[in-house]
Amino acid sequence: MASGSSLLPPQVPMELHIRNRKKLLESLHQHLSHSSRPLHGFVLLQGGEEHMRHDTDHVDLFRQESYFAYLFGVKEPGFYAAIDVANGETILFAPRLPDDYAVWLGEINQPSYFKEHYKVDKACFTNEIASVLEQRYQGSGTPLLFLLYGLNTDSNNFAKPAEFQGIDKFDKDLTTLHPLLTECRVIKTEMEIALIQYANDISSEAHIEVMRNVKVGMKEYQLESMFLHHTYMYGGCRHCSYTCICPTGENSAILHYGNAATPNDKTLEDGDIALLDMGAEYHFYGSDITCSFPVNGKFTSDQSLIYNAVLDAHNAVISEMKPGVSWVDMHILAEKVILESLKKGNILVGDVNDMLSARLGGIFMSHGLGHFLGIDTHDPGGYLKDLKRINEPGLKYLRTVRELQEGMVMTVEPGCYFNDSLLLPAMNSPQLSKFFNQKVINRFHGFGGVRIESALVVTATGCYNMTKCPREIHEVEAVMAGAPWPPKI
Ligand code: GLY
Ligand code: MN
Ligand code: MN
């Protein structure tokens, strides 16, 4: 069969997860030596469990819990794993499966299979956790269990510490592991970056495929479907990093459109802008890409104005990104570039610095500039070490306020939206109404919005763009008209 892609789904060596564990162990050793605590006990994690749909026997497709995936790469549900803090030895605990599993679900693998497959030191069954851990410490006291418990600052949910029969016999530490392991995930290894690059490559290619095939009269879900087909058929990506966001026309002002209440089902009309935010996941690592373009293939002057405002912000941020740069400053830079363009386009009037102080930027870019990307689309670690959110329009949605460091993978996703729920109160507000050219802005009623989103790796001296989509207006129009991408020189 001829492939519709130049890419091949890569083999993923378990070495990637061995390195992740090594990184955690080094960090844990350093932490324990600072507090003069002994290297005694186990890191113990419980993997994710399968869920059924409400009260039925329909099983939702399982995807591993992210911290467990990071350390062990295990794709099946119902596992536990322990790492001996003293020497890094890793023990996997597999669930005992009923005999009829082999009839309905597939071969029943023994622990020896999992030991070999996941390249760990030992594998046992989950009902042996207490006895195996105790045995390893016979005669030298009760082993301490470092359990994963802590806040995810995007969802406000807490990681669930492992529970198993016999856990009461052990001493437990619920505070040490979460911040250390989260920080390990913030700075990516080369092997992790290679996987995120693959997810980006196949997703970039799929976005281009959609651009080439979009037509007025289609449904938004057909754009979603083309993306899913390409990333699964040619990329081996069974999961997406998040539900596809495929708004067109006015809907493109809704940041996370495509949910159950807005199921990507509008018909594409001539003159609509499309904002497609779609990213595939491969071996747990994800991508997060947004392309915006007119569904008829030709930008109007108003669409060009807003698109270039966002593209200039995207490019300005990327040209500033390097270690030590504050993400809050980058957010404000993006706002500034967008506000300047809106002023040039006669939509806004007044001094741009006054607009920034009045937080007008948050009316048009009503989300944070970007976030860490990795095993989770919104990868954790944005507010470690008591960092606090800034409670102001736009800035309060920042998923991190940290300074950039080498090895971080960030999305840069400025946007400019005309959403009445924010615009109408702003246009009537005593502080903000003076900035609006009311006559011109009325022209943008129903325009929707534009977002441009790429993934960037922070390097020692700058950054590198992992996303390979056409961005300039002439490039987007050429690709939509059938030109090759990347362009032939
Ligand atoms: N796709 C969700 C986001 O851009 O953060
Ligand atoms: Mn994003
Ligand atoms: Mn996105």
Side-chain angles (χ1 to χ4, degrees), residues 288 371 377-378 411 413 453:
D288 185 3
H371 48 84
T377 308
H378 301 151
T411 67
E413 49 179 304
E453 178 173 26

Side-chain angles (χ1 to χ4, degrees), residues 245-247 251-259 275 277 290 364-368 397 413 415-417 419 422 450-451:
I245 300 168
C246 302
N251 295 336
S252 54
I254 302 167
L255 302 181
H256 284 175
Y257 184 83
N259 58 76
L275 183 162
D277 185 346
T290 308
F364 292 98
M365 186 168 89
S366 43
H367 55 73
Y397 295 118
E413 49 179 304
C416 179
Y417 313 89
N419 186 315
L422 292 172
V450 165
R451 176 160 69 249

Side-chain angles (χ1 to χ4, degrees), residues 55-206:
D55 67 342
T56 75
D57 68 349
H58 170 108
V59 181
D60 292 330
L61 180 62
F62 176 73
R63 195 281 201 173
Q64 187 55 272
E65 189 280 323
S66 297
Y67 285 97
F68 202 84
Y70 176 80
L71 286 176
F72 308 107
V74 170
K75 63 178 191 294
E76 300 90 341
F79 276 63
Y80 290 72
I83 306 172
D84 191 324
V85 170
N87 57 18
E89 276 184 18
T90 300
I91 313 165
L92 267 189
F93 297 96
R96 270 190 206 277
L97 301 170
D99 290 343
D100 64 356
Y101 183 100
V103 178
W104 292 89
L105 296 164
E107 191 175 346
I108 297 177
N109 290 310
Q110 295 306 311
S112 55
Y113 166 86
F114 292 115
K115 173 179 180 296
E116 177 52 35
H117 185 74
Y118 289 118
K119 303 275 181 267
V120 293
D121 300 292
K122 188 177 163 91
C124 310
F125 286 115
T126 51
N127 62 347
E128 299 170 315
I129 299 174
S131 60
V132 169
L133 298 187
E134 269 181 329
Q135 241 170 37
R136 289 174 75 92
Y137 267 78
Q138 240 167 18
S140 52
T142 317
L144 176 64
L145 301 184
F146 291 92
L147 304 179
L148 189 68
Y149 177 68
L151 179 72
N152 179 300
T153 52
D154 293 305
S155 64
N156 278 332
N157 291 330
F158 283 83
K160 173 176 168 268
E163 280 173 23
F164 61 91
Q165 222 167 19
I167 194 170
D168 295 343
K169 292 184 234 169
F170 296 88
D171 294 330
K172 295 175 252 331
D173 175 322
L174 285 166
T175 56
T176 303
L177 182 59
H178 190 269
L180 295 182
L181 184 51
T182 301
E183 190 57 26
C184 289
R185 286 179 58 186
V186 170
I187 307 298
K188 272 67 181 177
T189 65
E190 273 178 31
M191 293 180 96
E192 290 182 284
I193 289 172
L195 268 187
I196 300 171
Q197 182 66 66
Y198 174 73
N200 259 275
D201 287 345
I202 190 72
S203 300
S204 297
E205 211 180 68

Side-chain angles (χ1 to χ4, degrees), residues 342-350 355 360 364 418 423 426-427 432-445:
L342 296 184
K343 183 178 166 179
K344 246 187 251 155
N346 226 7
I347 298 170
L348 297 178
V349 287
M355 295 177 199
L360 186 65
F364 292 98
F418 295 83
L423 266 178
M427 286 162 70
L432 299 178
S433 61
K434 61 175 184 267
F435 295 120
F436 292 96
N437 186 343
Q438 307 266 352
K439 242 207 260 137
V440 179
I441 202 161
N442 283 341
R443 211 170 69 217
F444 288 82
H445 185 79

